[in-house]
Amino acid sequence: MSIETDPPQLAAPDGLISRSHLGIEPFALYRPGSLADAASMIAAGAWAHAGGIDVAQRLRNGEAAPALVPLCKPGRGSPSGLEVLDEISLDQGVLFMGAAVTHARIETDPLVRTVRPDLADAWRTIGNVRIRSTGTLGGNLMAFDSGYDAAPILAAAGAELIFMEPDGSERRCAVADRPRDRLLVGCEVPLAGRVVYDRSLKPVASVAVGDDHIAIGCAYPTVEVLPDGAANTAAARAALGALPDPTDDVFASAAYRRRVIDVLAGRCLELHTAGAVNGGGLSSDGAYPPDASRSEVIAAAGQPAESLSDDSVDIELRLNGDPFSASTPPSEMLVDTIRSRAGLGGTRVGCDQAVCGACTVLVDGEPTASCSTFAWQSDGRDVLTIESGHMAAAGGLSAGPAAALPTVQQAFAELSAFQCGYCTPGLILTASALLARHPDPDRTTICDWLDSNVCRCTGYLMVIEAVEAAAAALRSPSRPMHGGTT
């Protein structure tokens, strides 16, 4: 599939469109040939790009990037010479997680769930299903947003961050001391210990309690890390009492934040004390689970950095099962490629901030915010839009989320799970991905997957019932859908 005509000029010629992806200023795109190449570019001022949601946000807010350095290739792996960024592995009693590992992978990875299940449990609370499938450990840390979750969780766990200098040497530091202008390779987390994390009162405060540290997010300009944790409760409570005044802003007063910190920290300390001391890293015979040691974090010999282009990038993907190719500016978002170049209008632009879900498409089966995903990130990947339902119904697509799509669409229609319809494509696609992974989800799972798909019309109950009915129909094709499964 290809469209020969060029889409209309999307950027305003007279300057930025406030907080819109249409106003992103042009930038160069470079593919590093090794970790040292990437480290040199980032030290010189280029921006690292892994999941890219925060990069897109900074660009749409008016910042200008001299160049982006992609750390993930199409299909989610790292480019040749940067494979360590995509690793999760054990090495001499520590868990290594690379900077380009996604939140969803940390949440579900068998090794993480075996040796540090507390980290996997904490990670499943981060963001929404689109953020978790696209966002990365490194992107979350290097956004330097005190309201983000990776920094307090890892600081409470006593993690050590590994950076690379332009000359290929390592720099190791605590989470609170991470530099802004260096390439983050990944982090090492001790296997012993446990973290309890509570983000239920964000954006007022979040608290992570580990054996030896307490970390506080949201309440200060940077994450506040205390030197005592659940292993010394008395010292931890004394350190909490000596905290400086939190931020006083539109979200909460300093006094209210202080009260929330005390409540969350007390709750986490109690939960930590009630739970197992060790995170689950040892097998019954006291040995670490077998796994290949991670590779040396050194500058790999590679090709020189490649300039992909200042003006255009050639991409080839499968769009709704058909080949699609285009030449796009580096700054073009996937939503514009789909709507303007492919002429598929079912993918909508809503908040333009990766929050509302109207722009959701499935990239390799994962819900993805197309308003915050550059078109070149989809190169070599499978992209499904709501229009793929017609092909699936005709038998053209018969696997994964596409196979569930016609049934989900029918359930939404029969059970009145939409009104104006603007958010409906994103809801249906997300629900189809959910049912491909969880054929019999309970309501908690359904709400977890759909809670960030904003609908101003239905009240959501009909949506939940439609997903339940579609799940039942997929399990038992002869079962009628009317009435839901309440």
Side-chain angles (χ1 to χ4, degrees):
M1 180 191 302
S2 63
I3 303 294
E4 294 184 0
T5 56
D6 290 331
Q9 179 67 34
L10 297 174
D14 53 351
L16 291 175
I17 303 172
S18 177
R19 295 181 64 80
S20 167
H21 71 273
L22 300 181
I24 290 177
E25 295 288 351
F27 53 80
L29 195 61
Y30 290 91
R31 181 78 70 190
S34 66
L35 283 175
D37 287 338
S40 297
M41 295 177 198
I42 292 166
W47 294 10
H49 182 285
I53 292 176
D54 285 292
V55 169
Q57 185 79 334
R58 290 174 62 188
L59 291 169
R60 69 161 55 90
N61 283 345
E63 293 188 58
L68 295 190
V69 181
L71 302 180
C72 292
K73 66 183 179 183
R76 182 44 61 195
S78 296
S80 177
L82 281 72
E83 294 88 354
V84 68
L85 302 177
D86 219 38
E87 284 190 16
I88 295 179
S89 55
L90 290 180
D91 187 15
Q92 300 183 17
V94 295
L95 172 68
F96 174 81
M97 298 188 294
V101 171
T102 65
H103 303 310
R105 189 169 160 210
I106 295 173
E107 172 193 351
T108 60
D109 186 81
L111 179 60
V112 179
R113 296 212 66 86
T114 298
V115 301
R116 286 302 301 252
D118 54 316
L119 293 186
D121 291 342
W123 238 270
R124 77 173 301 274
T125 69
I126 291 180
N128 57 54
V129 65
R130 295 181 303 279
I131 298 296
R132 291 198 295 273
S133 68
T134 305
T136 62
L137 167 69
N140 197 280
L141 282 171
M142 299 310 289
F144 286 90
D145 189 320
S146 66
Y148 283 8
D149 301 283
I153 296 170
L154 292 175
E160 185 175 46
L161 303 186
I162 304 170
F163 288 83
M164 175 161 285
E165 299 287 354
D167 63 2
S169 62
E170 286 186 6
R171 180 197 294 194
R172 292 172 173 262
C173 62
V175 173
D177 300 324
R178 61 194 186 279
R180 294 177 180 269
D181 59 347
R182 292 296 184 264
L183 171 65
L184 176 64
V185 175
C187 69
E188 291 183 343
V189 185
L191 297 189
R194 181 169 178 260
V195 169
V196 176
Y197 184 50
D198 194 325
R199 67 191 297 275
S200 60
L201 293 179
K202 289 179 65 175
V204 176
S206 62
V207 173
V209 171
D211 291 35
D212 301 315
H213 299 87
I214 293 177
I216 300 163
C218 301
Y220 297 93
T222 59
V223 172
E224 191 79 11
V225 182
L226 306 182
D228 293 288
N232 190 339
T233 302
R237 293 190 183 279
L240 287 166
L243 278 169
D245 289 338
T247 301
D248 191 326
D249 59 20
V250 296
F251 293 113
S253 67
Y256 181 65
R257 273 202 166 95
R258 172 57 72 93
R259 175 60 180 154
V260 166
I261 291 169
D262 290 341
V263 169
L264 294 183
R267 184 186 301 170
C268 289
L269 283 166
E270 290 179 6
L271 289 171
H272 193 291
T273 302
V277 174
N278 191 277
L282 299 181
S283 61
S284 58
D285 62 359
Y288 291 116
D291 189 79
S293 296
R294 72 173 177 86
S295 60
E296 292 287 333
V297 184
I298 57 173
Q303 298 299 317
E306 173 192 1
S307 173
L308 296 184
S309 181
D310 295 354
D311 302 317
S312 65
V313 180
D314 293 330
I315 61 172
E316 295 183 358
L317 58 139
R318 290 186 64 82
L319 182 58
N320 297 333
D322 289 335
F324 177 88
S325 60
S327 182
T328 69
S331 59
E332 182 170 305
M333 292 296 177
L334 180 58
V335 67
D336 295 316
T337 304
I338 291 169
R339 290 178 60 85
S340 298
R341 295 185 187 275
L344 301 177
T347 304
R348 314 286 167 71
V349 178
C351 67
D352 207 13
Q353 307 291 315
V355 172
C356 76
C359 71
T360 301
V361 298
L362 302 184
V363 178
D364 290 344
E366 297 290 341
T368 301
S370 62
C371 78
S372 298
T373 301
F374 293 110
W376 48 264
Q377 290 178 258
S378 66
D379 185 34
R381 307 178 79 170
D382 286 299
V383 177
L384 295 181
T385 72
I386 192 65
E387 289 84 359
S388 64
H390 298 296
M391 297 186 64
L397 295 168
S398 58
L405 192 52
T407 303
V408 176
Q409 287 178 308
Q410 183 182 352
F412 269 64
E414 290 189 7
L415 300 178
S416 301
F418 64 91
Q419 291 183 32
C420 80
Y422 198 84
C423 67
T424 307
L427 279 165
I428 290 175
L429 286 165
T430 305
S432 300
L434 161 64
L435 296 182
R437 187 175 300 179
H438 302 284
D440 188 13
D442 57 23
R443 286 203 168 183
T444 299
T445 303
I446 294 171
C447 291
D448 180 54
W449 274 67
L450 298 180
D451 68 356
S452 63
N453 286 79
V454 178
C455 176
R456 296 178 180 271
C457 303
T458 67
Y460 298 103
L461 179 58
M462 294 86 82
V463 171
I464 295 170
E465 291 176 342
V467 176
E468 290 175 330
L474 287 166
R475 294 194 306 273
S476 303
S478 60
R479 177 175 177 171
M481 279 190 280
H482 350 286
T485 58
T486 58

